Amino acid sequence: ATGSTTTRGRGTMFEDAAFLREDFDPDAFVAEQRKGMTLESLRAELEGYVAGLDNALVNIINNDYSAFLKLSSMLVDIDALVAGLREPLNQLESRVDRVRKVVSEPLGMQQSIADQLQLVQEKQSIISLCLSARETLDKVERQVEQLRNSADAEPSSESDLIVANGEALCRASQRLARVAFLSQENMALPILRSIRAKARSLEHGLLEELDKAFETALGPSQSGAEASAEVRAARADAIAVVLRAYVAIGSGDQAGKVFKDRVVKPYFKQLFTQGRVDAGGARGAAQGLGALYLEVLGFLDARCGPLLDAIRNPQEGLGQVDFAGAAVCDGLYEVISEQLSHVYSSGMADTLHESYSKTQALFTVLAELSSEPERVRGSAARTLELWNLSVYTQLRAHELLERLEGALGKETLIESFSLENGLVLGGSRELVSCLATCWDDRVFLEPVGPRLFKLALELLQRYVRWAAAGLDCLDGQLGLADDSGSDPSKADSKGSSMRDELAEKAWGAGLPLEALLFLIADCSRLCAILKDKSSSWVTKLFPADSSSSEADAAHAATDRAGKDAVIRSVHQLVCARLEELGARAKKMVEQGLASECVQVLQSGLESVAPMYRMTSKPAPTTASAYVLSVVQPLTRFTEGPPAQQLVSAAVRAELLESVFEACLATFAEISNKELQKVISSENALKRLNRGAANRKLESSSDKIRTQFRLDLAELGASAASLGAPEVQSTSQFASLAEEFAAVSSED
């Protein structure tokens, strides 16, 4: 009823128009209505909707009441009508059942006859199969016998024999493969047991003939220059025929074994003799190994060239046959393990590295030639495992540590002042050279990369211990104050109970303070070198694998990033240690210069009072001569070539400020003490002369203060001239200047 929509849902969430839309979405409707709907309002909405439905139902009945009455009147005699139709239908069903029973019996007999006929046909097929298999085996047996007899005959030419035997073997192999397939598919048939046994016997004889034919097809050993293109092509065709026979009976690996045992290994055994490997050099030097590997590649081109041509020919379908991996690589491994133990177990690091690298390069070339490069890589890994790389690492470690120890133990710490690679000390230059050697292509090997990284850290740690022990030694010579409690690098070095004789030898010869500048500069430069080389070290240790999938590449990149972070963290720790040593050396320079300057300043200040005490000497107008002596160590140090070239202006200014700070503290202490002595003496004289009439005593303390004021001003001017003008603006300098200036104004 169209009017029902007016009695329900209007103005509520249950609008008929919303539900009747073709694009009505229940989830969207509920999500929209729940925004402002509560349980109470939902209950009221539902109650109103139910009431509207009741009213609509009543209205529908009222509107169509006459139609309901007419429909009920039409259904009065419907039962009688249905009963009249049921009887004829039952009769028809019984007749159909009788006809089905009559027809089903002949149909069953016909199906039984068809099943018996199929069984007979299957037995006939099996009999034909057995007859065919036996006939095929007879043909194979005759062909094998003919091949054996043909060996005694005189062929018209060698190529005729190769082609004839190859084609016959190929046909025999195909027939034998067909019998093997039929036997495999019908293993439950007892009649085929004798056929299978005979097939295995024939297969053994056929393999013997195949091996002979394959060896004949390979031909004699000859160089590529001696074999013409026609001969090579003919041999490739003959080899392909024999290989197809091997593949037909599933014995491709047997061909590789024959090639390895009868061709590859005999050649390699004659090639890799100790005399040829050493090539006239020392025993185990392996100077001729590279030339022998080149001969191996030449052998692949000359003797294996026709074989590789046959395998690579797409028309032959022999791509699954892999002689580079199955024969050459395996044969190379066996000969190397048997005859070259003096090479891969050599006690010379250079020999181990060179032989390992050349062997690895050879297998890389073989992997490119092989149809199964993964198999070649497996043989390569097995072969390269023969090299005693742990001994190689020990030899390199001994060599590099010995080089570094030799440089660190020289009696003359600085043979000549030079800035090679930005480094001054010979030990620092040798350290960088040793680190570069660790990652040099002539030393680095990927399998021992982590060990070489550890060796690099050991070299750095040895240098750090040597430098720390040297600072301890120089510290004792200079007699500086022990402040190891605030200096972690000094505390660490003092915590070591082991004496460093090399450091005592290098640093214990009365070195000047300039030697500390060299160490400061070298520590800074070494930190820069380590930070710069981190990326290249990571690339060497963890090379990217371009052959991996995207997922593997992403995982490898994540793993490499983590290892990169670890290496950089280790480098940061080493750099922090070097920076601590540099800071300690800088502190020692400051203390050493301050000690020299303070000693001169102290004696100079103590000499001022005797010049003016109880004398008639006039008040001074110029600074004392000792002031120039005070700054002389600073002038000599800061204007020397090491400080000028190794220390920046900012660092020099910082160093000067620290030294002058110590001088000002000493100036304040000594001047105050001297003045107190003079003032005490003057007060005592005043008490003694209190009764003397009209006697005026001239004040010595005022003259001394004036001298101190002039000396202080000259000291500040000297600091400014040396590059530290900030000294005159410090609070300590201003306080002293103000004190002496006030006394002068009173005078």
Side-chain angles (χ1 to χ4, degrees):
T2 58
S4 64
T5 58
T6 61
T7 61
R8 57 185 171 85
R10 178 173 295 177
T12 69
M13 65 180 288
F14 301 105
E15 293 284 349
D16 289 347
F19 296 101
L20 296 176
R21 291 201 312 266
E22 293 182 359
D23 60 344
F24 174 73
D25 185 0
D27 295 334
F29 177 78
V30 173
E32 179 65 26
Q33 296 297 333
R34 66 181 297 181
K35 294 180 180 178
M37 182 68 66
T38 62
L39 291 177
E40 290 77 8
S41 59
L42 178 61
R43 179 178 180 180
E45 290 282 349
L46 292 174
E47 290 176 348
Y49 187 69
V50 170
L53 289 177
D54 292 339
N55 293 333
L57 182 61
V58 172
N59 291 335
I60 290 172
I61 295 173
N62 291 335
N63 293 337
D64 299 329
Y65 185 70
S66 59
F68 279 112
L69 292 178
K70 184 178 179 180
L71 178 63
S72 61
S73 64
M74 294 173 62
L75 297 176
V76 172
D77 297 330
I78 193 67
D79 292 336
L81 180 63
V82 171
L85 294 175
R86 183 178 292 112
E87 183 62 25
L89 291 175
N90 291 335
Q91 294 177 359
L92 180 61
E93 181 180 6
S94 62
R95 291 177 183 176
V96 171
D97 290 339
R98 288 195 297 270
V99 172
R100 182 183 293 112
K101 291 179 181 179
V102 173
V103 175
S104 60
E105 185 175 353
L107 290 176
M109 294 175 63
Q110 184 179 2
Q111 183 64 39
S112 176
I113 294 172
D115 293 340
Q116 292 177 3
L117 180 60
Q118 182 179 2
L119 181 60
V120 170
Q121 290 176 347
E122 290 178 354
K123 291 181 178 180
Q124 182 181 3
S125 176
I126 293 173
I127 293 173
S128 300
L129 175 66
C130 294
L131 293 175
S132 176
R134 187 173 295 277
E135 180 182 358
T136 302
L137 287 179
D138 292 339
K139 290 181 180 180
V140 172
E141 187 175 11
R142 287 195 299 271
Q143 287 178 339
V144 171
E145 189 64 27
Q146 290 175 0
L147 289 171
R148 288 174 177 171
N149 295 333
S150 66
D152 300 330
E154 293 293 337
S156 57
S157 66
E158 183 183 5
S159 60
D160 293 340
L161 175 62
I162 294 174
V163 173
N165 289 352
E167 292 177 352
L169 285 170
C170 188
R171 290 193 299 270
S173 299
Q174 292 172 353
R175 290 168 178 168
L176 189 61
R178 184 164 59 251
V179 173
F181 175 76
L182 295 176
S183 301
Q184 183 68 25
E185 292 295 319
N186 300 274
M187 295 181 62
L189 297 176
I191 195 171
L192 289 178
R193 292 177 182 174
S194 60
I195 294 178
R196 285 198 298 269
K198 186 174 183 180
R200 285 194 295 269
S201 175
L202 287 176
E203 182 179 355
H204 179 71
L206 183 61
L207 281 177
E208 290 182 354
E209 297 303 320
L210 280 174
D211 294 346
K212 295 177 183 178
F214 184 43
E215 188 173 0
T216 304
L218 290 172
S221 176
Q222 58 184 355
S223 64
E226 297 174 352
S228 63
E230 292 78 7
V231 173
R232 177 164 176 160
R235 291 197 179 279
D237 293 339
I239 291 172
V241 172
V242 179
L243 289 181
R244 285 200 303 271
Y246 274 113
V247 173
I249 59 175
S251 299
D253 292 339
Q254 174 66 16
K257 185 176 183 300
V258 170
F259 184 67
K260 181 186 71 173
D261 294 338
R262 302 187 183 182
V263 178
V264 174
K265 285 190 67 175
Y267 172 77
F268 284 170
K269 286 183 177 180
Q270 293 178 1
L271 182 67
F272 291 101
T273 60
Q274 182 173 334
R276 297 203 62 187
V277 171
D278 293 337
R283 176 178 173 83
Q287 294 180 358
L289 189 62
L292 295 183
Y293 284 162
L294 291 177
E295 291 190 29
V296 170
L297 297 178
F299 164 78
L300 292 178
D301 181 65
R303 192 71 190 277
C304 307
L307 176 62
L308 295 176
D309 293 342
I311 294 173
R312 293 172 181 173
N313 189 349
Q315 297 178 355
E316 300 293 348
L318 299 172
Q320 72 274 21
V321 180
D322 176 31
F323 284 97
V328 178
C329 293
D330 291 347
L332 193 62
Y333 164 75
E334 293 175 9
V335 172
I336 288 177
S337 61
E338 293 171 3
Q339 299 184 198
L340 299 186
S341 60
H342 63 286
V343 174
Y344 57 75
S345 299
S346 174
M348 295 178 287
D350 291 338
T351 298
L352 286 172
H353 181 275
E354 185 176 1
S355 59
Y356 184 95
S357 301
K358 290 179 178 178
T359 305
Q360 188 178 40
L362 175 63
F363 276 101
T364 301
V365 175
L366 294 177
E368 295 176 355
L369 297 175
S370 173
S371 59
E372 298 182 14
E374 289 300 324
R375 183 170 184 174
V376 176
R377 295 189 184 100
S379 297
R382 185 175 53 164
T383 304
L384 294 175
E385 285 178 356
L386 296 172
W387 268 255
N388 198 340
L389 295 184
S390 60
V391 172
Y392 172 74
T393 308
Q394 294 174 5
L395 292 173
R396 289 300 185 192
H398 177 74
E399 170 193 340
L400 295 178
L401 287 172
E402 189 176 51
R403 280 173 50 187
L404 183 60
E405 296 277 352
L408 298 180
K410 290 185 177 180
E411 295 184 0
T412 305
L413 185 66
I414 310 167
E415 295 181 349
S416 61
F417 175 62
S418 63
L419 290 176
E420 181 183 347
N421 296 326
L423 299 169
V424 183
L425 300 177
S428 302
R429 292 196 293 269
E430 189 62 39
L431 171 65
V432 173
S433 176
C434 291
L435 293 177
T437 300
C438 288
W439 306 104
D440 190 275
D441 290 337
R442 293 168 295 182
V443 172
F444 183 83
L445 292 174
E446 187 176 341
V448 296
R451 299 181 187 177
L452 292 176
F453 176 68
K454 181 181 178 182
L455 174 59
L457 295 181
E458 291 177 1
L459 294 171
L460 288 167
Q461 184 63 23
R462 180 65 187 95
Y463 178 86
V464 168
R465 290 200 308 270
W466 171 81
L471 291 181
D472 291 340
C473 182
L474 195 57
D475 196 355
Q477 294 178 23
L478 298 176
L480 303 178
D482 187 2
D483 57 350
S484 60
S486 60
D487 191 340
S489 66
K490 188 173 180 180
D492 290 344
S493 64
K494 284 184 176 295
S496 175
S497 59
M498 184 182 299
R499 288 181 56 192
D500 195 325
E501 297 181 356
L502 297 181
E504 294 177 358
K505 182 179 179 181
W507 294 83
L511 291 175
L513 287 175
E514 283 81 355
L516 294 174
L517 290 182
F518 300 150
L519 181 61
I520 295 171
D522 283 2
C523 287
S524 176
R525 179 57 183 161
L526 287 173
C527 289
I529 291 174
L530 287 178
K531 294 175 181 178
D532 180 62
K533 296 297 183 182
S534 293
S535 298
S536 61
W537 289 13
V538 172
T539 303
K540 279 272 191 179
L541 283 174
F542 315 112
D545 186 5
S546 58
S547 62
S548 58
S549 62
E550 294 184 1
D552 293 339
H555 181 271
T558 303
D559 184 58
R560 186 172 180 271
K563 295 174 180 177
D564 186 1
V566 172
I567 291 178
R568 293 183 184 278
S569 299
V570 172
H571 284 178
Q572 289 175 0
L573 292 175
V574 176
C575 289
R577 191 73 177 90
L578 291 171
E579 290 171 355
E580 291 174 0
L581 289 173
R584 181 186 171 193
K586 181 173 175 291
K587 185 68 174 177
M588 291 177 62
V589 170
E590 295 173 355
Q591 292 177 346
L593 290 175
S595 177
E596 291 185 37
C597 295
V598 164
Q599 289 180 4
V600 178
L601 178 63
Q602 182 175 353
S603 61
L605 289 173
E606 291 175 349
S607 66
V608 171
M611 290 191 300
Y612 296 102
R613 187 188 307 171
M614 299 179 65
T615 64
S616 59
K617 191 173 182 178
T621 57
T622 59
S624 302
Y626 76 86
V627 177
L628 296 178
S629 300
V630 171
V631 298
Q632 187 175 359
L634 289 175
T635 303
R636 182 181 65 254
F637 184 84
T638 56
E639 293 182 356
Q644 291 292 326
Q645 297 184 36
L646 301 176
V647 182
S648 63
V651 174
R652 287 199 300 271
E654 182 180 349
L655 188 147
L656 290 171
E657 290 174 9
S658 176
V659 174
F660 277 109
E661 181 181 354
C663 290
L664 291 177
T666 302
F667 199 105
E669 178 185 358
I670 300 300
S671 62
N672 181 61
K673 183 175 67 174
E674 294 297 321
L675 283 174
Q676 290 298 327
K677 292 180 181 179
V678 173
I679 292 173
S680 298
S681 300
E682 289 181 348
N683 291 336
L685 289 175
K686 288 179 180 180
R687 287 194 295 272
L688 291 175
N689 296 328
R690 187 177 299 171
N694 299 326
R695 185 172 180 181
K696 184 177 181 180
L697 295 174
E698 189 175 6
S699 174
S700 300
S701 61
D702 294 339
K703 297 177 184 179
I704 295 173
R705 286 193 182 93
T706 301
Q707 186 64 63
F708 285 160
R709 175 175 59 80
L710 295 172
D711 294 347
L712 180 64
E714 182 65 22
L715 190 63
S718 299
S721 64
L722 289 175
E726 293 81 0
V727 172
Q728 293 177 315
S729 59
T730 60
S731 59
Q732 192 175 16
F733 186 90
S735 176
L736 285 173
E738 183 179 357
E739 178 183 350
F740 296 140
V743 172
S744 178
S745 61
E746 290 175 2
D747 295 342

